[in-house]
Amino acid sequence: MKLATLFDEAGHEFALVGGPVRDACLGIPAHDMDFTTSARPDETQKILDRWGETTWDIGKEFGTIGASLHGLTVEVTTYRSDEYDPSSRKPQVAFGDTLEGDLTRRDFTVNAMAVRLPTMELVDPCGGLSDIVDAILRTPIDPIISFSDDPLRIMRAARFTAQLGFDVDLGTMSAMSELAERLDIVSAERIRAELERLMISPYPRRGIEIMEYTGVAERVLPEVAALKSTVDEHGRHKDVYEHTLTVVDQAIELETDEEGPVPAPDFVLRFAALMHDVGKPATRQFGPGGKVTFHQHDIVGAKMTRKRMRELRFDKQTTKDVSRLVELHQRFHGYGEAVWSDSAVRRYVTDAGPLLERLHRLTRADCTTRNRKKAMRLQAAYDDLEKRIDELAEQEELAAVRPDLDGSQIMEILGIEPGPTVGRARKYLLDLRMEHGPLDQETAVEKLRAWAKENL
């Protein structure tokens, strides 16, 4: 590599480091190219200026200079030997002198490997290669010190468990539990970023389980941790926590390829599956004979989901989509009890809007009963609902059901100005559309005038 040669000719050490080395050992294509060097930032920038088409120094205070050439983006960081203030996870940056020292300060041994360039020498002072073979996560130094220095590493442990399918060694797991409260000093945005990466990883269930087991979920997703409280020693209803994990697994199985309606990995579907029953602990009631009910847990759960996602600084659209799926996930169950009218089917589709394909999958994933007959009955009912949706969609543009007259037409026909009355009239026409399907222009005008005569 020409870049390595430039550093070598300038008298500096240069190495590929961290994730790309780990992924190469696992046979996974590397997407990011991270390098480390003995050169100080100013020297690094001079070399990158000679090599790249563009360079940037936005991370210079932390020793990182970036550059790109022919679509290849690289980041080069000076060896570091940081110290941490116990009240903050932000390090007091200090540059180091050795590659081994730089590797030892990293989060996990599997990320603490490097390949010296251009000699291609593997440098593995912490036994990362052995841990890759054993599929284990552990820290290069005492995990108490590592997690105390940077508590976000606790979340990264859960995320790498989900991403790599590795286990966490006992000492590291114990430190996660002991220092979970240190996550309180980490910004919500950083927590959210790790949670998002965990949920779109190949094995999110593993990450969720380690979070719950270590008490991390109580700090990050207390609503999910609380599902454990619904475990019923008398067996009067299913284990909601285990049910939730199964729903996540089943929702993932229902994702599609890139050409399908819900391409994998889909964060919105997966997170809705994780949160769909969080309203149950707050709504659980025991009736006659020990019967357990969770009335309106969907509505309560949607509010809880919205609140948690706002606290974690999720964007508004993602928050809206996930909480809406939680709110709608029970809607289908009335279909299996009684045949819906065309109006009810239209409203189901309209209420789901652009989330319909995800709602299909969440609803199907929510069936975890071991009763084979019940499972087959629910499957048949949902098959029938989807068939009816398709049939109605052929007759009308069901996914975009709107009143037969728009706001401008309503104002012109009734001779009114913009205001609440237009909204009331529009709602009336939408209800008509839901109940009877599309109306022709003449009928819609006639119905609107009749409504106005009685209500205005």
Side-chain angles (χ1 to χ4, degrees):
M1 176 186 280
K2 181 181 177 182
L3 185 57
T5 301
L6 290 174
F7 275 89
D8 187 53
E9 290 175 347
H12 302 298
E13 296 179 4
F14 186 73
L16 181 67
V17 68
V21 179
R22 176 201 69 222
D23 289 346
C25 293
L26 289 167
I28 300 172
H31 300 288
D32 301 314
M33 301 298 284
D34 296 326
F35 299 93
T36 188
T37 181
S38 59
R40 292 317 191 238
D42 287 337
E43 298 167 310
T44 297
Q45 187 159 8
K46 290 178 182 178
I47 295 171
L48 289 177
D49 284 339
R50 292 170 55 196
W51 173 80
E53 295 170 330
T54 58
T55 61
W56 54 91
D57 63 358
I58 192 170
K60 188 172 182 178
E61 65 177 308
F62 299 103
T64 301
I65 308 295
S68 65
L69 176 66
H70 305 319
L72 173 65
T73 298
V74 303
E75 288 191 342
V76 183
T77 303
T78 300
Y79 295 159
R80 296 257 297 265
S81 178
D82 302 335
E83 295 181 358
Y84 287 82
D85 180 341
S87 64
S88 170
R89 62 168 292 268
K90 295 181 179 180
Q92 298 172 356
V93 177
F95 297 134
D97 298 313
T98 68
L99 175 57
E100 290 78 6
D102 178 90
L103 294 174
T104 302
R105 72 174 183 82
R106 293 175 181 261
D107 54 4
F108 302 103
T109 60
V110 298
N111 297 328
M113 298 184 295
V115 175
R116 292 188 191 274
L117 300 173
T119 62
M120 299 297 290
E121 173 195 356
L122 177 65
V123 182
D124 181 18
C126 305
L129 185 58
S130 176
D131 287 343
I132 286 177
V133 172
D134 293 337
I136 198 80
L137 281 177
R138 62 183 181 89
T139 55
I141 61 174
D142 185 332
I144 293 291
I145 297 174
S146 181
F147 292 157
S148 182
D149 283 348
D150 185 356
L152 185 62
R153 290 171 177 168
I154 297 172
M155 277 298 298
R156 286 170 65 84
R159 191 253 290 181
F160 279 120
T161 297
Q163 180 178 326
L164 303 175
F166 285 10
D167 292 322
V168 180
D169 90 309
L170 291 177
T172 302
M173 191 158 48
S174 177
M176 290 175 69
S177 296
E178 185 173 338
L179 295 175
E181 64 180 19
R182 288 276 290 163
L183 284 166
D184 294 347
I185 71 170
V186 181
S187 71
E189 290 82 1
R190 291 283 189 175
I191 297 288
R192 183 205 68 228
E194 291 297 332
L195 184 60
E196 284 179 311
R197 294 182 73 178
L198 183 157
M199 290 303 301
I200 62 172
S201 291
Y203 315 103
R205 178 174 184 147
R206 296 177 70 103
I208 297 162
E209 287 176 328
I210 196 69
M211 286 175 61
E212 191 285 321
Y213 184 79
T214 58
V216 171
E218 293 181 10
R219 321 297 302 192
V220 177
L221 290 174
E223 299 82 2
V224 174
L227 295 177
K228 280 280 190 175
S229 69
T230 62
V231 174
D232 178 11
E233 66 274 18
H234 301 296
R236 290 167 293 190
H237 65 84
K238 62 191 173 189
D239 182 332
V240 180
Y241 173 71
E242 288 296 329
H243 162 76
T244 293
L245 296 181
T246 301
V247 173
V248 172
D249 287 340
Q250 294 183 167
I252 291 171
E253 291 175 0
L254 293 172
E255 291 174 338
T256 65
D257 59 21
E258 292 183 1
E259 302 301 320
V262 186
D266 188 87
F267 175 81
V268 170
L269 174 61
R270 295 183 182 197
F271 202 59
L274 179 63
M275 302 296 284
H276 80 284
D277 273 351
V278 296
K280 281 191 170 180
T283 58
R284 182 172 64 167
Q285 292 184 333
F286 294 96
K291 182 180 179 181
V292 183
T293 60
F294 303 97
H295 293 309
Q296 292 196 319
H297 77 271
D298 44 352
I299 306 300
V300 173
K303 292 179 180 177
M304 294 169 66
T305 299
R306 192 176 301 112
K307 181 175 183 292
R308 176 56 49 200
M309 294 184 73
R310 286 172 177 169
E311 291 182 358
L312 288 171
R313 305 292 190 270
F314 279 93
D315 66 88
K316 290 182 180 180
Q317 189 61 53
T318 301
T319 300
K320 180 180 178 181
D321 289 348
V322 173
S323 56
R324 184 62 168 159
L325 283 173
V326 173
E327 181 180 353
L328 292 174
H329 83 274
Q330 282 287 102
R331 185 75 64 86
F332 158 74
H333 291 283
Y335 187 87
E337 298 167 4
V339 177
W340 283 2
S341 64
D342 286 351
S343 171
V345 175
R346 291 188 188 98
R347 192 169 296 280
Y348 183 83
V349 174
T350 302
D351 287 348
L355 298 172
L356 181 62
E357 290 293 344
R358 290 187 176 108
L359 182 58
H360 284 332
R361 285 156 178 78
L362 177 59
T363 302
R364 288 185 182 277
D366 195 23
C367 176
T368 63
T369 179
R370 295 180 181 178
N371 184 319
R372 187 175 179 182
K373 288 185 178 180
K374 181 179 179 182
M376 292 177 66
R377 187 167 62 249
L378 288 170
Q379 180 81 12
Y382 210 84
D383 287 345
D384 184 67
L385 175 58
E386 287 196 27
K387 180 181 177 182
R388 289 187 61 194
I389 290 172
D390 290 341
E391 289 173 348
L392 282 172
E394 290 179 3
Q395 300 169 23
E396 53 186 279
E397 295 181 9
L398 189 57
V401 174
R402 295 182 178 88
D404 294 290
L405 301 172
D406 61 26
S408 297
Q409 292 172 306
I410 290 171
M411 289 186 288
E412 181 180 350
I413 292 166
L414 299 183
I416 59 177
E417 298 295 323
T421 300
V422 178
R424 289 168 53 209
R426 189 179 185 282
K427 182 180 183 304
Y428 166 73
L429 290 171
L430 180 60
D431 288 341
L432 279 180
R433 174 70 184 273
M434 291 291 187
E435 189 65 33
H436 302 291
L439 302 176
D440 60 61
Q441 181 89 358
E442 183 179 347
T443 303
V445 171
E446 180 183 335
K447 294 284 187 182
L448 175 63
R449 285 176 172 159
W451 173 86
K453 185 175 182 180
E454 293 184 7
N455 291 275
L456 300 184

